Amino acid sequence: MNYAYILQCGDGSYYAGWTNDLKKRLEDHNLGRGAKYTRAHLPVILVYYESFETKAEAMRREAAIKKLSRSQKERLIASRPAPDLSVLLSAPTEEEP
């Protein structure tokens, strides 16, 4: 599964991205191993995501989200219930050797 997502940064700004492992990517962002932008605006919380079958679909949606104004992003976030983080937290991830 592939995802387009929006994070709210510690300063209240928004960051949009895409990934194929939402739990790991969120952890990476909060550990300072994510995007350069989020490293400077920690901590981050997941406020919105959409699921896609293909990487190309997720990347297209990320690009579209990045073009939205702040108020449009806020309306998008408000249009869906808050992300169910328990699903992410219980999802198994591969351990590094």
Side-chain angles (χ1 to χ4, degrees):
M1 192 61 57
N2 297 277
Y3 305 90
Y5 62 89
I6 301 174
L7 303 176
Q8 185 172 18
C9 299
D11 65 355
S13 62
Y14 293 116
Y15 173 83
W18 81 273
T19 185
N20 60 6
D21 186 339
L22 199 51
K23 177 186 174 189
K24 182 176 183 318
R25 189 67 175 147
L26 183 58
E27 289 172 354
D28 286 347
H29 279 297
N30 275 311
L31 291 172
R33 297 187 307 231
K36 186 183 224 182
Y37 182 85
T38 59
R39 282 194 295 260
H41 297 88
L42 294 174
V44 300
I45 59 169
L46 180 67
V47 292
Y48 181 86
Y49 72 91
E50 294 178 37
S51 305
F52 299 92
E53 288 296 320
T54 68
K55 174 182 171 180
E57 290 171 310
M59 291 176 76
R60 268 193 302 276
R61 184 58 173 147
E62 172 202 12
I65 290 170
K66 286 185 174 190
K67 291 178 184 178
L68 299 176
S69 68
R70 179 178 177 86
S71 62
Q72 289 171 318
K73 287 177 186 147
E74 288 171 342
R75 282 195 298 275
L76 180 64
I77 293 164
S79 73
R80 290 197 173 183
D84 183 0
L85 298 180
S86 66
V87 172
L88 298 177
L89 298 175
S90 64
T93 58
E94 290 185 26
E95 296 290 323
E96 291 186 27

